[in-house]
Structure formats: structure tokens, C-alpha cells
């Protein structure tokens, strides 16, 4: 067996070891062949207890060095026009709101906390949790100080969100390669919160999908469900329905790619300290020209400073269903 093949196999096993406990977060993996190249490049390491305030999922590259998924994983897979890395934060049909911790060193994935409580998205009939594999594109940032010319609202201070519509249920922390198909402009409390529509390039039906109209053709009702989900998902928390730019119409691939390009430029300005990033933590290991770049030893020290002990305050979600029909 060649040294390269052995390295790939070891990296693949290491990635699996980082998947949180399925009994708590329901982070199911899909059956069948996985995208080996993506698995070999990145794997994860848990610290703390799932379903707790101290849970963190850190990322490592193929050499075993800690990295920031926000800053160190490249946006594009290669020079092809429409092939991007996506970091999966929330697997389809699950409720735990897991997200990249943009304000923490090396930006691990953590459970979002609001008002001191772990947040779980509500079940709204007929949906169960998130209806796609939900995540983000690395090396993108929606600048809260920059007004979008098409929505007339500033960004939401996060990497750009992705709804992956393939047939597989992916895992929290998985890094996959996706094709961008279109985009939805959610206006969340006065901020632009873009939602990309994409598909895993290793999905059995990926070759059918090239633009947003293909989603309408081959997955009828999915875009309507997506719009409805984003409109209603905060209502059970006592908030009003969300609003959208463009009257809730999805924009095509070309439009989406321009948005991705713009958010990537904003990220570059952030990492080069050419704009005010506020509380965003820009610590990285591989963007050598960035003033925030740290050594591998410093990165390891940052991770080791995070508690890995069990947290007795772990709490599982209470499954409740909401019927919001009018």
C-alpha cells in the first residue's frame, strides 16, 4: 500500500471519530460511498459533551494540524467556476442549532446559545427540524457595515449560509464539495441573510442540476417548502414571520455566484484587517499574509485550553410540534 493511500485512509478514519453522538444530536451519516477526497482533507475533534454549553467541534487538516474552518478551508475546490467547499453544521431532519463560533479562536462548531439556553429549531408541521443539510461556505463574510445594493440591507455578520438539497443525510463537521444553483434573500430583523441553494457534487443526481430551474423541475415543491420554512421557523418563538427581498423569489446561479464573490471579498478585507470586524475572531493557521495568522503550536495551545470534561448541564431537546396553518 502506498504512503499516500495509507495517509488518506487514516485521515478518513480520523474524520469519522469526530462525529458527535447520534443519540443526542441525531447527526446521522448516510449509507453508501462517501466523497473520499473531502473526507481525507479534513477531520474533526470533539471537546466537551454534546448537547451542552461547553461542546466544541474543532477541525484538523490532513496532516493533523488544527485549523479554522471559517478561515483556513478554501472557498473554491479548484479553478472550476462552480465547485465550492461547504462545511455542514446541521444535518437534515435534526433540530440542534449548531454553528461555527465566529467569535472564538479557530472557530469551532458549537451549539448556539440564546438567553442562556441551547437553541433547537422548532418542528413546524409538516417539517421535522431542518429540511436540508445546512451549513456555510468558508472564507465568506456578510459585512454588517456594508449595505447590499440589491437588498438595501447590511449583512448579518456571518459566513454565507448554504441549503444542500441532495439525497444524503450528512454529518456535522463534514466538508463536502457543492455546486451552487441559486439563492434566496432572507431579511432577518433588517439584515441581509443570504441562503444559497446547492447540491453535493457526489449526489447520485447531481449531474441533473445546473441552475435554480432544475430544482423546480426535478424536486418539485422543494423551493416552496424552503421559502415557507424560512418564513415561519421563528414564529413558535413569538417572533413575526420573516420577510424576503425580491418578493421571495429565488435568484439563479449567476446571481448567486456574484453574491458569493462579494462575500469572499468582504472576508479578504476582514482577514487583512482592512475593515472593522468587531468581535469576529480571525485567528488562522494557513492564511500566511494575514496579520491574524498563528503558528501550529499556538493553535494547539488554543484548543487544549478548551475544557474537554463532561458537563452535567447537558440537556436534550424536548420534541414539540407546531401547527401554524391558517
Amino acid at each position: 500500500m502506498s504512503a499516500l493511500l495509507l495517509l488518506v485512509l487514516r485521515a478518513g478514519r480520523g474524520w469519522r471519530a469526530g462525529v458527535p453522538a447520534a443519540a443526542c444530536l441525531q447527526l446521522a451519516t448516510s449509507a453508501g460511498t462517501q466523497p473520499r477526497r473531502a473526507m481525507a482533507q479534513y477531520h474533526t475533534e470533539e471537546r466537551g459533551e454534546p448537547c451542552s454549553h461547553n461542546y466544541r467541534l474543532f477541525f484538523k487538516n490532513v496532516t493533523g494540524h488544527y485549523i479554522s474552518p471559517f478561515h483556513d478551508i478554501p472557498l473554491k475546490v479548484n479553478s472550476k467556476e462552480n465547485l465550492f467547499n461547504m462545511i455542514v453544521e446541521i444535518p437534515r431532519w435534526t433540530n440542534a442549532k449548531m454553528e461555527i463560533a465566529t467569535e472564538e479562536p479557530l472557530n469551532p462548531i458549537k451549539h448556539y446559545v440564546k438567553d442562556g439556553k441551547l437553541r433547537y429549531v422548532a418542528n413546524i408541521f409538516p417539517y421535522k427540524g431542518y429540511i436540508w443539510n445546512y451549513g456555510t461556505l468558508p472564507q465568506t463574510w456578510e459585512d454588517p457595515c456594508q449595505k447590499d445594493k440589491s437588498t438595501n440591507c447590511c449583512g448579518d455578520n456571518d459566513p454565507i449560509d448554504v441549503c444542500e438539497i441532495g439525497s444524503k443525510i450528512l454529518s456535522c463537521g463534514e466538508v463536502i464539495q457543492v455546486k451552487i444553483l441559486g439563492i434566496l434573500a432572507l431579511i432577518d430583523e433588517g439584515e441581509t441573510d443570504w441562503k444559497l441553494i446547492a447540491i453535493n457534487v457526489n449526489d447520485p443526481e447531481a449531474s441533473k442540476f445546473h441552475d435554480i430551474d432544475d430544482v423546480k423541475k426535478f424536486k418539485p415543491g422543494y423551493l416552496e417548502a424552503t421559502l415557507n420554512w424560512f418564513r415561519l421557523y421563528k414564529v413558535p418563538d413569538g417572533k413575526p414571520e420573516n420577510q424576503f427581498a425580491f418578493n421571495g423569489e429565488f435568484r439563479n446561479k449567476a446571481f448567486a455566484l456574484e453574491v458569493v464573490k462579494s462575500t469572499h471579498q468582504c472576508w479578504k478585507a476582514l482577514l487583512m484587517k482592512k475593515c472593522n470586524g468587531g468581535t469576529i475572531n480571525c485567528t488562522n493557521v494557513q492564511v500566511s499574509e494575514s496579520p491574524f495568522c498563528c503558528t501550529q503550536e499556538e493553535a494547539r495551545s488554543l484548543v487544549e485550553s478548551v475544557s474537554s470534561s463532561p458537563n452535567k448541564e447537558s440537556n436534550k431537546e424536548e420534541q414539540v410540534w407546531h401547527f401554524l396553518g391558517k
Side-chain angles (χ1 to χ4, degrees), residues 112-126:
Y112 181 73
V113 176
K114 186 173 183 180
D115 299 327
K117 297 181 179 180
L118 302 179
R119 185 179 173 192
Y120 295 90
V121 73
N123 292 318
I124 300 175
F125 184 82

Side-chain angles (χ1 to χ4, degrees), residues 67-88:
I67 62 169
S68 161
F70 185 4
H71 306 305
D72 289 319
I73 296 177
L75 170 63
K76 302 197 75 171
V77 175
N78 52 37
S79 59
K80 291 183 179 180
E81 177 186 0
N82 189 17
L83 193 58
F84 297 85
N85 283 312
M86 171 189 172
I87 302 159
V88 179

Side-chain angles (χ1 to χ4, degrees), residues 87-106:
I87 302 159
V88 179
E89 296 166 308
I90 307 171
R92 182 188 284 114
W93 310 135
T94 64
N95 301 71
K97 184 168 176 53
M98 309 299 293
E99 65 177 19
I100 287 176
T102 58
E103 299 182 2
E104 296 183 11
L106 296 184

Side-chain angles (χ1 to χ4, degrees), residues 218-268:
F218 296 110
K219 291 182 181 285
Y222 208 169
L223 294 182
E224 291 82 357
T226 295
L227 183 68
N228 199 44
W229 194 97
F230 280 120
R231 175 179 286 119
L232 299 175
Y233 81 104
K234 290 186 177 181
V235 171
D237 297 328
K239 293 189 175 182
E241 294 183 2
N242 276 323
Q243 304 299 312
F244 305 89
F246 317 123
N247 295 317
E249 295 180 3
F250 289 81
R251 294 309 197 196
N252 64 13
K253 179 182 72 174
F255 188 101
L257 291 175
E258 285 300 313
V259 175
V260 172
K261 181 179 179 181
S262 174
T263 57
H264 182 54
Q265 293 303 316
C266 288
W267 170 83
K268 283 184 177 180

Side-chain angles (χ1 to χ4, degrees), residues 190-207:
E191 297 176 334
T192 303
D193 188 4
W194 293 107
K195 307 296 181 184
L196 290 166
I197 306 300
I199 189 166
N200 185 349
V201 295
N202 287 339
D203 189 86
E205 296 186 322
S207 62

